[in-house]
């Protein structure tokens, strides 16, 4: 974590002779989980999510991006298919993620000519997140037994638009493919016995919401990076 924090500081706060454009703002919306418990819909926000975001626009078409996101996750088999309804499991969890990567703009994103700007965008990179590892207890309830860290691959699609000269508002849907199958208690440590569900598929979680950021900085040189 110390090295990741150092990298974020270098990326977003080190200024060169030809200063770039920066954005800092907030994220807010909803989150949902996709796995072995509850609904199988991929986009179905049912709990809160919020965080902070920062960007360094390296060219008209791409930016380096870092973010922190907190999301509540819950699922109930009563909202799943008939087989899951008969099983009757449910759980609650939360994730705290740090993500860094590259945002790609479909159209030119240029904030210096006074014209309104609009573009769809894609984002991906690497995410590390903290969550509660879970297991089924003696009462057939899913409960957390340990805090753990894991990694995920973010896959985000969004749109953004300028508001005046210094603000940017956006909306995005971002799925995280995780490297764990135990956000839902379906694949716990060996000491808890056999798991349930499809043990060959890892869990996902999805953020759906809006971003608003403040932008500043001189006209960049748009060098060859």
């Amino acid at each position: 974590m110390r090295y990741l924090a150092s990298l974020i500081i270098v990326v977003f706060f080190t200024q060169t002779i030809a200063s770039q454009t920066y954005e800092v703002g907030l994220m807010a919306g909803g989150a949902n989980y996709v796995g072995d418990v509850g609904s199988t819909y991929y986009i179905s926000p049912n709990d809160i999510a919020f965080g902070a975001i920062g960007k360094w626009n390296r060219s008209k078409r791409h930016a380096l991006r870092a973010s922190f996101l907190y999301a509540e996750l819950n699922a109930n088999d009563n909202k799943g298919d008939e087989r899951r309804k008969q099983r009757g499991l449910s759980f609650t969890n939360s994730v705290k993620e740090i993500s860094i990567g590259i945002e790609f703009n479909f159209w030119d994103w240029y904030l210096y000519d006074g014209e309104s700007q609009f573009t769809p965008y894609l984002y991906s990179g690497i995410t590390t997140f903290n969550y509660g590892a879970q297991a089924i207890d003696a009462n057939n309830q899913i409960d957390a037994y340990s805090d753990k860290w894991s990694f995920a691959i973010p896959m985000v699609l969004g749109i953004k638009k300028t508001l005046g000269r210094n603000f940017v508002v956006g909306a995005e849907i971002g799925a995280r493919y995780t490297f764990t199958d135990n956000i839902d208690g379906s694949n716990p440590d060996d000491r808890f016995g056999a798991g349930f569900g499809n043990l060959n598929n890892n869990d996902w979680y999805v953020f759906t919401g809006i971003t608003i950021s403040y932008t500043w900085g001189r006209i960049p040189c748009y060098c060859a990076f």
Side-chain angles (χ1 to χ4, degrees):
M1 291 299 297
R2 181 175 66 240
Y3 300 111
L4 180 60
S6 299
L7 178 59
I8 293 173
I9 290 172
V10 169
V11 168
F12 288 101
F13 296 99
T14 299
Q15 299 231 2
T16 60
I17 293 176
S19 177
Q20 308 296 319
T21 296
Y22 304 94
E23 294 181 36
V24 174
L26 301 174
M27 310 168 65
N32 66 282
Y33 137 96
V34 183
D36 294 303
V37 178
S39 172
T40 56
Y41 289 110
Y42 274 84
I43 303 173
S44 181
N46 61 357
D47 219 324
I48 62 169
F50 57 87
I53 189 169
K55 301 179 187 180
W56 183 9
N57 293 301
R58 291 291 299 173
S59 79
K60 296 178 181 180
R61 287 302 182 97
H62 83 285
L64 301 181
R65 163 173 162 168
S67 63
F68 167 80
L69 181 69
Y70 172 84
E72 295 279 350
L73 302 176
N74 70 80
N76 192 313
D77 277 345
N78 290 334
K79 298 182 179 179
D81 57 27
E82 286 302 319
R83 179 180 58 84
R84 293 189 179 189
K85 288 178 180 178
Q86 293 176 8
R87 184 179 59 188
L89 292 174
S90 64
F91 78 92
T92 60
N93 208 334
S94 65
V95 295
K96 296 173 281 293
E97 71 162 42
I98 298 173
S99 183
I100 188 167
I102 295 177
E103 184 173 291
F104 173 78
N105 302 318
F106 282 80
W107 305 327
D108 284 353
W109 183 250
Y110 189 70
L111 303 173
Y112 305 98
D113 58 7
E115 298 294 329
S116 178
Q117 303 292 310
F118 171 82
T119 184
Y121 63 86
L122 294 173
Y123 167 76
S124 190
I126 187 68
T127 293
T128 182
F129 68 97
N130 175 264
Y131 70 102
Q134 310 221 16
I136 296 180
D137 62 19
N139 298 317
N140 200 39
Q141 302 295 316
I142 299 176
D143 290 313
Y145 62 85
S146 177
D147 278 349
K148 289 192 175 183
W149 286 88
S150 187
F151 291 93
I153 299 174
M155 293 167 278
V156 177
L157 174 64
I159 56 174
K160 58 186 177 181
K161 185 183 187 303
T162 54
L163 289 178
R165 188 169 182 83
N166 294 110
F167 289 93
V168 177
V169 64
E172 65 179 42
I173 299 171
R176 277 72 166 171
Y177 172 76
T178 74
F179 295 143
T180 178
D181 189 28
N182 199 37
I183 291 176
D184 53 14
S186 65
N187 194 7
D189 292 352
D190 292 339
R191 67 180 183 272
F192 293 100
F196 62 89
N198 187 347
L199 301 183
N200 295 317
N201 285 341
N202 289 342
D203 296 329
W204 298 68
Y205 62 94
V206 181
F207 168 75
T208 306
I210 62 172
T211 66
I212 185 166
S213 59
Y214 176 80
T215 180
W216 79 98
R218 294 175 298 187
I219 298 177
C221 65
Y222 291 148
C223 44
F225 174 64

